[in-house]
Amino acid sequence: MSKTRLFLATLFAFVPLLTLAAVAEDEMANPSDIQSKYKEGDAEYVFVICTPVGLDSVNHFIAWNAKHMMEEKSNGRIFANIYEASSLGGERETIEGMQNGSIDFFVTISAGYVPFAPKTGVFDLPNAYPDLATARKVLDDPRIIAAVTPEYEKAGIKFFGFSDAGFRQTSSSKPLDKIQDFQGLKIRTMENPNHMAYWTSIGANPTPMDFAEVYISLQQGTIDAQENPYDLIVANKLYEPQKYIVETNHLMHSLAMNMSKSRWDELPADLQAIVKECVEASLKYGREIADKRIASRQKIVTDYGCEISAISPELRQQILDRIVPVYDSIRKSAGDDLVDLMLSVIAEHE
């Protein structure tokens, strides 16, 4: 048995799905409702912050919280404009904008950086975490941060750490109770080779698609399924054309608020310290928001009439047996040392 197969079999033999206690719907004050007391024309540095999704998202809370903190702590020397829902371009275009310095910050999932920084594919190891608490400990582990930071910097990106929106789940037009149910399933994925390889390995037909097209494609039956955290499933009403939500917990929806390295290097040391403090605080704030939203979003989809189900231990093991080649593929792009480090840190924290 390979060490990858042994790791997966041991880690997930009897791991239950994470469940969260119900929380109030009122959550925290929306930072975009706060009027900035500072003016763009008075600022020394005007930042462009982008997100790929709309206002009702953890990405949005992170971006706006960072905006207000940076403006306040710099006493107006920094001002930030936020462009949501890919209004300045798709994921690739936005990251390219960060590389050339035309976009300052991007709040998005780590998977978007894989084409630019291949070793960050280590965060695409599927079904790697037994629960949310373990995943967060691993993503915050100084050894992991130290290992991937140079990879981001080589791509022209300043990396500050991670937030998240919980695990990615699968919504489907049909039940997914057994491995045969995944055969030929047309599922929308990100344009990420590791994500596509995962779904291919369990028999599905991954279909990369712009996020803005997902709802209508589900409605028209062009695709059968999609995968996202509850936060985005509800924010974009992706549950409306779907009947089933299957808690596959296959990937952590790890979010980062990264910055253009060239713009970071332009900042004086005092403003670098302020930016770092504000972004890191906003990433922590994002996790607080995520924890408050998951259970409430589950209630929204069940109230609408969707069925939420967990995958059985038998199906979980069948999936784990089939995804070993995905681990092998990520080893080729991320390197054995980094993958082994990730697996050992997961084992330490579980």
Side-chain angles (χ1 to χ4, degrees), residues 297-319:
R297 270 54 188 164
Q298 289 171 326
K299 185 176 187 303
I300 288 172
V301 301
T302 54
D303 285 351
Y304 187 80
C306 293
E307 297 179 15
I308 295 178
S309 64
I311 60 175
S312 67
E314 294 78 16
L315 176 54
R316 181 182 296 277
Q317 189 57 55
Q318 288 176 321
I319 290 174

PDB file of all heavy atoms in Angstrom, residues 297-319:
ATOM      1  N   ARG A 297     -27.121  28.856   6.567  1.00  0.00           N
ATOM      2  CA  ARG A 297     -27.274  28.566   5.129  1.00  0.00           C
ATOM      3  C   ARG A 297     -27.839  27.167   4.907  1.00  0.00           C
ATOM      4  O   ARG A 297     -28.603  26.934   3.973  1.00  0.00           O
ATOM      5  CB  ARG A 297     -25.941  28.727   4.410  1.00  0.00           C
ATOM      6  CG  ARG A 297     -25.677  30.133   3.862  1.00  0.00           C
ATOM      7  CD  ARG A 297     -25.811  31.178   4.910  1.00  0.00           C
ATOM      8  NE  ARG A 297     -25.743  32.538   4.364  1.00  0.00           N
ATOM      9  CZ  ARG A 297     -26.128  33.604   5.028  1.00  0.00           C
ATOM     10  NH1 ARG A 297     -26.604  33.495   6.249  1.00  0.00           N
ATOM     11  NH2 ARG A 297     -26.052  34.801   4.495  1.00  0.00           N
ATOM     12  N   GLN A 298     -27.460  26.227   5.766  1.00  0.00           N
ATOM     13  CA  GLN A 298     -28.065  24.905   5.693  1.00  0.00           C
ATOM     14  C   GLN A 298     -29.575  24.995   5.886  1.00  0.00           C
ATOM     15  O   GLN A 298     -30.348  24.323   5.196  1.00  0.00           O
ATOM     16  CB  GLN A 298     -27.452  23.994   6.753  1.00  0.00           C
ATOM     17  CG  GLN A 298     -26.015  23.589   6.463  1.00  0.00           C
ATOM     18  CD  GLN A 298     -25.377  22.871   7.640  1.00  0.00           C
ATOM     19  OE1 GLN A 298     -25.655  23.167   8.802  1.00  0.00           O
ATOM     20  NE2 GLN A 298     -24.497  21.918   7.346  1.00  0.00           N
ATOM     21  N   LYS A 299     -30.006  25.835   6.825  1.00  0.00           N
ATOM     22  CA  LYS A 299     -31.437  25.987   7.076  1.00  0.00           C
ATOM     23  C   LYS A 299     -32.146  26.609   5.879  1.00  0.00           C
ATOM     24  O   LYS A 299     -33.275  26.221   5.527  1.00  0.00           O
ATOM     25  CB  LYS A 299     -31.662  26.845   8.322  1.00  0.00           C
ATOM     26  CG  LYS A 299     -33.125  26.962   8.737  1.00  0.00           C
ATOM     27  CD  LYS A 299     -33.267  27.745  10.023  1.00  0.00           C
ATOM     28  CE  LYS A 299     -34.715  27.721  10.530  1.00  0.00           C
ATOM     29  NZ  LYS A 299     -35.684  28.233   9.546  1.00  0.00           N
ATOM     30  N   ILE A 300     -31.503  27.560   5.232  1.00  0.00           N
ATOM     31  CA  ILE A 300     -32.114  28.201   4.060  1.00  0.00           C
ATOM     32  C   ILE A 300     -32.400  27.171   2.973  1.00  0.00           C
ATOM     33  O   ILE A 300     -33.482  27.156   2.383  1.00  0.00           O
ATOM     34  CB  ILE A 300     -31.209  29.327   3.538  1.00  0.00           C
ATOM     35  CG1 ILE A 300     -31.233  30.521   4.507  1.00  0.00           C
ATOM     36  CG2 ILE A 300     -31.645  29.792   2.140  1.00  0.00           C
ATOM     37  CD1 ILE A 300     -30.221  31.598   4.182  1.00  0.00           C
ATOM     38  N   VAL A 301     -31.439  26.298   2.696  1.00  0.00           N
ATOM     39  CA  VAL A 301     -31.639  25.342   1.603  1.00  0.00           C
ATOM     40  C   VAL A 301     -32.664  24.271   1.974  1.00  0.00           C
ATOM     41  O   VAL A 301     -33.433  23.829   1.112  1.00  0.00           O
ATOM     42  CB  VAL A 301     -30.307  24.709   1.134  1.00  0.00           C
ATOM     43  CG1 VAL A 301     -29.354  25.779   0.659  1.00  0.00           C
ATOM     44  CG2 VAL A 301     -29.662  23.868   2.211  1.00  0.00           C
ATOM     45  N   THR A 302     -32.691  23.857   3.238  1.00  0.00           N
ATOM     46  CA  THR A 302     -33.693  22.858   3.624  1.00  0.00           C
ATOM     47  C   THR A 302     -35.090  23.476   3.675  1.00  0.00           C
ATOM     48  O   THR A 302     -36.070  22.824   3.288  1.00  0.00           O
ATOM     49  CB  THR A 302     -33.351  22.215   4.980  1.00  0.00           C
ATOM     50  OG1 THR A 302     -33.161  23.228   5.967  1.00  0.00           O
ATOM     51  CG2 THR A 302     -32.093  21.363   4.870  1.00  0.00           C
ATOM     52  N   ASP A 303     -35.190  24.727   4.121  1.00  0.00           N
ATOM     53  CA  ASP A 303     -36.482  25.410   4.104  1.00  0.00           C
ATOM     54  C   ASP A 303     -37.008  25.554   2.681  1.00  0.00           C
ATOM     55  O   ASP A 303     -38.225  25.557   2.454  1.00  0.00           O
ATOM     56  CB  ASP A 303     -36.374  26.795   4.754  1.00  0.00           C
ATOM     57  CG  ASP A 303     -36.269  26.736   6.273  1.00  0.00           C
ATOM     58  OD1 ASP A 303     -36.453  25.636   6.828  1.00  0.00           O
ATOM     59  OD2 ASP A 303     -35.971  27.781   6.886  1.00  0.00           O
ATOM     60  N   TYR A 304     -36.108  25.683   1.729  1.00  0.00           N
ATOM     61  CA  TYR A 304     -36.518  25.801   0.330  1.00  0.00           C
ATOM     62  C   TYR A 304     -37.013  24.460  -0.223  1.00  0.00           C
ATOM     63  O   TYR A 304     -37.768  24.430  -1.193  1.00  0.00           O
ATOM     64  CB  TYR A 304     -35.333  26.298  -0.510  1.00  0.00           C
ATOM     65  CG  TYR A 304     -35.698  26.618  -1.938  1.00  0.00           C
ATOM     66  CD1 TYR A 304     -36.309  27.834  -2.258  1.00  0.00           C
ATOM     67  CD2 TYR A 304     -35.436  25.712  -2.967  1.00  0.00           C
ATOM     68  CE1 TYR A 304     -36.651  28.135  -3.572  1.00  0.00           C
ATOM     69  CE2 TYR A 304     -35.774  26.013  -4.283  1.00  0.00           C
ATOM     70  CZ  TYR A 304     -36.381  27.216  -4.587  1.00  0.00           C
ATOM     71  OH  TYR A 304     -36.718  27.508  -5.882  1.00  0.00           O
ATOM     72  N   GLY A 305     -36.595  23.365   0.414  1.00  0.00           N
ATOM     73  CA  GLY A 305     -37.041  22.050  -0.035  1.00  0.00           C
ATOM     74  C   GLY A 305     -35.941  21.124  -0.486  1.00  0.00           C
ATOM     75  O   GLY A 305     -36.214  19.997  -0.937  1.00  0.00           O
ATOM     76  N   CYS A 306     -34.694  21.566  -0.359  1.00  0.00           N
ATOM     77  CA  CYS A 306     -33.572  20.700  -0.741  1.00  0.00           C
ATOM     78  C   CYS A 306     -33.306  19.671   0.352  1.00  0.00           C
ATOM     79  O   CYS A 306     -33.566  19.919   1.531  1.00  0.00           O
ATOM     80  CB  CYS A 306     -32.316  21.526  -0.976  1.00  0.00           C
ATOM     81  SG  CYS A 306     -32.404  22.624  -2.394  1.00  0.00           S
ATOM     82  N   GLU A 307     -32.761  18.550  -0.043  1.00  0.00           N
ATOM     83  CA  GLU A 307     -32.371  17.507   0.887  1.00  0.00           C
ATOM     84  C   GLU A 307     -30.856  17.564   1.098  1.00  0.00           C
ATOM     85  O   GLU A 307     -30.104  17.572   0.125  1.00  0.00           O
ATOM     86  CB  GLU A 307     -32.765  16.131   0.355  1.00  0.00           C
ATOM     87  CG  GLU A 307     -34.258  15.921   0.190  1.00  0.00           C
ATOM     88  CD  GLU A 307     -34.582  14.539  -0.355  1.00  0.00           C
ATOM     89  OE1 GLU A 307     -33.687  13.659  -0.338  1.00  0.00           O
ATOM     90  OE2 GLU A 307     -35.727  14.340  -0.805  1.00  0.00           O
ATOM     91  N   ILE A 308     -30.431  17.623   2.351  1.00  0.00           N
ATOM     92  CA  ILE A 308     -29.009  17.571   2.680  1.00  0.00           C
ATOM     93  C   ILE A 308     -28.683  16.173   3.174  1.00  0.00           C
ATOM     94  O   ILE A 308     -29.388  15.627   4.027  1.00  0.00           O
ATOM     95  CB  ILE A 308     -28.640  18.603   3.761  1.00  0.00           C
ATOM     96  CG1 ILE A 308     -28.846  20.026   3.240  1.00  0.00           C
ATOM     97  CG2 ILE A 308     -27.187  18.417   4.204  1.00  0.00           C
ATOM     98  CD1 ILE A 308     -28.541  21.108   4.265  1.00  0.00           C
ATOM     99  N   SER A 309     -27.632  15.586   2.640  1.00  0.00           N
ATOM    100  CA  SER A 309     -27.245  14.240   3.072  1.00  0.00           C
ATOM    101  C   SER A 309     -25.729  14.156   3.216  1.00  0.00           C
ATOM    102  O   SER A 309     -24.981  14.903   2.579  1.00  0.00           O
ATOM    103  CB  SER A 309     -27.724  13.188   2.074  1.00  0.00           C
ATOM    104  OG  SER A 309     -27.095  13.370   0.809  1.00  0.00           O
ATOM    105  N   ALA A 310     -25.310  13.260   4.091  1.00  0.00           N
ATOM    106  CA  ALA A 310     -23.887  12.954   4.247  1.00  0.00           C
ATOM    107  C   ALA A 310     -23.569  11.713   3.433  1.00  0.00           C
ATOM    108  O   ALA A 310     -24.434  10.859   3.215  1.00  0.00           O
ATOM    109  CB  ALA A 310     -23.558  12.718   5.717  1.00  0.00           C
ATOM    110  N   ILE A 311     -22.336  11.620   2.952  1.00  0.00           N
ATOM    111  CA  ILE A 311     -21.962  10.402   2.245  1.00  0.00           C
ATOM    112  C   ILE A 311     -21.686   9.299   3.265  1.00  0.00           C
ATOM    113  O   ILE A 311     -21.221   9.553   4.366  1.00  0.00           O
ATOM    114  CB  ILE A 311     -20.743  10.623   1.316  1.00  0.00           C
ATOM    115  CG1 ILE A 311     -19.519  11.081   2.109  1.00  0.00           C
ATOM    116  CG2 ILE A 311     -21.077  11.634   0.233  1.00  0.00           C
ATOM    117  CD1 ILE A 311     -18.270  11.201   1.266  1.00  0.00           C
ATOM    118  N   SER A 312     -22.001   8.086   2.892  1.00  0.00           N
ATOM    119  CA  SER A 312     -21.841   6.948   3.798  1.00  0.00           C
ATOM    120  C   SER A 312     -20.364   6.589   3.939  1.00  0.00           C
ATOM    121  O   SER A 312     -19.539   6.932   3.075  1.00  0.00           O
ATOM    122  CB  SER A 312     -22.595   5.739   3.247  1.00  0.00           C
ATOM    123  OG  SER A 312     -21.979   5.277   2.050  1.00  0.00           O
ATOM    124  N   PRO A 313     -20.005   5.878   5.016  1.00  0.00           N
ATOM    125  CA  PRO A 313     -18.622   5.410   5.149  1.00  0.00           C
ATOM    126  C   PRO A 313     -18.174   4.553   3.967  1.00  0.00           C
ATOM    127  O   PRO A 313     -17.014   4.635   3.548  1.00  0.00           O
ATOM    128  CB  PRO A 313     -18.652   4.607   6.453  1.00  0.00           C
ATOM    129  CG  PRO A 313     -19.785   5.188   7.229  1.00  0.00           C
ATOM    130  CD  PRO A 313     -20.808   5.563   6.213  1.00  0.00           C
ATOM    131  N   GLU A 314     -19.088   3.762   3.423  1.00  0.00           N
ATOM    132  CA  GLU A 314     -18.744   2.907   2.273  1.00  0.00           C
ATOM    133  C   GLU A 314     -18.412   3.748   1.048  1.00  0.00           C
ATOM    134  O   GLU A 314     -17.417   3.503   0.353  1.00  0.00           O
ATOM    135  CB  GLU A 314     -19.899   1.954   1.966  1.00  0.00           C
ATOM    136  CG  GLU A 314     -20.175   0.917   3.033  1.00  0.00           C
ATOM    137  CD  GLU A 314     -20.934   1.470   4.233  1.00  0.00           C
ATOM    138  OE1 GLU A 314     -21.521   2.592   4.121  1.00  0.00           O
ATOM    139  OE2 GLU A 314     -20.936   0.820   5.299  1.00  0.00           O
ATOM    140  N   LEU A 315     -19.251   4.755   0.779  1.00  0.00           N
ATOM    141  CA  LEU A 315     -18.998   5.627  -0.372  1.00  0.00           C
ATOM    142  C   LEU A 315     -17.727   6.431  -0.154  1.00  0.00           C
ATOM    143  O   LEU A 315     -16.922   6.609  -1.075  1.00  0.00           O
ATOM    144  CB  LEU A 315     -20.185   6.564  -0.593  1.00  0.00           C
ATOM    145  CG  LEU A 315     -20.026   7.596  -1.712  1.00  0.00           C
ATOM    146  CD1 LEU A 315     -19.657   6.936  -3.037  1.00  0.00           C
ATOM    147  CD2 LEU A 315     -21.296   8.439  -1.851  1.00  0.00           C
ATOM    148  N   ARG A 316     -17.511   6.906   1.056  1.00  0.00           N
ATOM    149  CA  ARG A 316     -16.293   7.650   1.361  1.00  0.00           C
ATOM    150  C   ARG A 316     -15.053   6.820   1.033  1.00  0.00           C
ATOM    151  O   ARG A 316     -14.099   7.293   0.412  1.00  0.00           O
ATOM    152  CB  ARG A 316     -16.280   8.065   2.833  1.00  0.00           C
ATOM    153  CG  ARG A 316     -15.049   8.875   3.234  1.00  0.00           C
ATOM    154  CD  ARG A 316     -15.106   9.206   4.715  1.00  0.00           C
ATOM    155  NE  ARG A 316     -16.238  10.056   4.992  1.00  0.00           N
ATOM    156  CZ  ARG A 316     -16.231  11.382   4.835  1.00  0.00           C
ATOM    157  NH1 ARG A 316     -15.149  11.985   4.395  1.00  0.00           N
ATOM    158  NH2 ARG A 316     -17.293  12.100   5.110  1.00  0.00           N
ATOM    159  N   GLN A 317     -15.060   5.565   1.440  1.00  0.00           N
ATOM    160  CA  GLN A 317     -13.903   4.724   1.186  1.00  0.00           C
ATOM    161  C   GLN A 317     -13.722   4.456  -0.302  1.00  0.00           C
ATOM    162  O   GLN A 317     -12.589   4.423  -0.812  1.00  0.00           O
ATOM    163  CB  GLN A 317     -14.031   3.392   1.941  1.00  0.00           C
ATOM    164  CG  GLN A 317     -12.756   2.560   1.902  1.00  0.00           C
ATOM    165  CD  GLN A 317     -11.555   3.320   2.450  1.00  0.00           C
ATOM    166  OE1 GLN A 317     -11.583   3.814   3.583  1.00  0.00           O
ATOM    167  NE2 GLN A 317     -10.500   3.435   1.655  1.00  0.00           N
ATOM    168  N   GLN A 318     -14.827   4.287  -1.024  1.00  0.00           N
ATOM    169  CA  GLN A 318     -14.730   4.090  -2.475  1.00  0.00           C
ATOM    170  C   GLN A 318     -14.118   5.318  -3.146  1.00  0.00           C
ATOM    171  O   GLN A 318     -13.307   5.198  -4.065  1.00  0.00           O
ATOM    172  CB  GLN A 318     -16.116   3.799  -3.050  1.00  0.00           C
ATOM    173  CG  GLN A 318     -16.652   2.430  -2.693  1.00  0.00           C
ATOM    174  CD  GLN A 318     -18.069   2.220  -3.208  1.00  0.00           C
ATOM    175  OE1 GLN A 318     -18.908   3.125  -3.177  1.00  0.00           O
ATOM    176  NE2 GLN A 318     -18.351   1.018  -3.674  1.00  0.00           N
ATOM    177  N   ILE A 319     -14.498   6.497  -2.677  1.00  0.00           N
ATOM    178  CA  ILE A 319     -13.912   7.729  -3.216  1.00  0.00           C
ATOM    179  C   ILE A 319     -12.421   7.783  -2.895  1.00  0.00           C
ATOM    180  O   ILE A 319     -11.592   8.073  -3.772  1.00  0.00           O
ATOM    181  CB  ILE A 319     -14.647   8.960  -2.650  1.00  0.00           C
ATOM    182  CG1 ILE A 319     -16.059   9.045  -3.220  1.00  0.00           C
ATOM    183  CG2 ILE A 319     -13.865  10.250  -2.944  1.00  0.00           C
ATOM    184  CD1 ILE A 319     -16.916  10.136  -2.606  1.00  0.00           C
TER     185      ILE A 319
END
